[in-house]
């Protein structure tokens, strides 16, 4: 499929996108995302990988439209990305939980 991203034409295929994203670790999602394989990627990360352009040169909307036309599932920044069930992934502590663990319990501070 031919599409224009950042004023440049690209001939993209679903299999080509899958191949390009294979082995790429998803960055944290803060806005729009696209489901490729079993992983959710930020659209800007996908755009950067498949076009080899700086992500400041294109919009997330350009990449989202192209990915949707190829049949990938895209999500807006307002939609929540499903979190893996606890049995499938280990718990990653939040910064607050990490700080609390490092400082110890409140009773230990009063001694």
């Amino acid at each position: 499929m031919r599409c224009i991203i950042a004023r440049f034409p690209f001939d993209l295929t679903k299999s080509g996108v899958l191949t390009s994203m294979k082995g790429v670790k998803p960055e944290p999602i803060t806005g729009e995302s696209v489901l490729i394989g079993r992983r959710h990627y930020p659209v800007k990360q996908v755009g950067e990988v498949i076009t080899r352009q700086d992500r400041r040169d294109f919009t997330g909307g350009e990449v989202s439209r192209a990915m949707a036309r190829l049949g990938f599932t895209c999500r807006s920044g307002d939609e929540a990305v499903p979190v893996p069930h606890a049995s499938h992934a280990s718990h990653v502590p939040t910064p607050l939980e990490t700080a609390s663990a490092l400082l110890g319990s409140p009773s230990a501070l009063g001694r």
Side-chain angles (χ1 to χ4, degrees):
M1 174 199 76
R2 191 161 185 88
C3 65
I4 305 294
I5 298 176
R7 300 180 314 271
F8 290 97
F10 292 93
D11 288 314
L12 300 175
T13 63
K14 188 168 187 169
S15 62
V17 172
L18 288 167
T19 301
S20 295
M21 296 305 294
K22 187 175 185 176
V24 176
K25 183 180 176 186
E27 296 172 357
I29 296 171
T30 58
E32 296 174 275
S33 66
V34 60
L35 177 64
I36 299 177
R38 288 184 257 169
R39 295 178 167 186
H40 287 271
Y41 292 89
V43 292
K44 289 284 208 158
Q45 180 184 15
V46 173
E48 185 174 57
V49 171
I50 65 173
T51 67
R52 295 188 176 102
Q53 294 184 39
D54 189 292
R55 57 181 77 184
R56 294 173 293 182
D57 294 339
F58 54 85
T59 67
E62 290 176 295
V63 178
S64 290
R65 283 189 296 279
M67 295 298 102
R69 285 178 54 201
L70 287 172
F72 292 103
T73 302
C74 298
R75 297 181 186 266
S76 69
D78 301 332
E79 298 178 59
V81 174
V83 177
H85 189 269
S87 65
H88 298 291
S90 60
H91 172 71
V92 178
T94 65
L96 179 62
E97 290 171 329
T98 302
S100 295
L102 291 172
L103 291 174
S105 66
S107 61
L109 295 176
R111 292 182 187 178

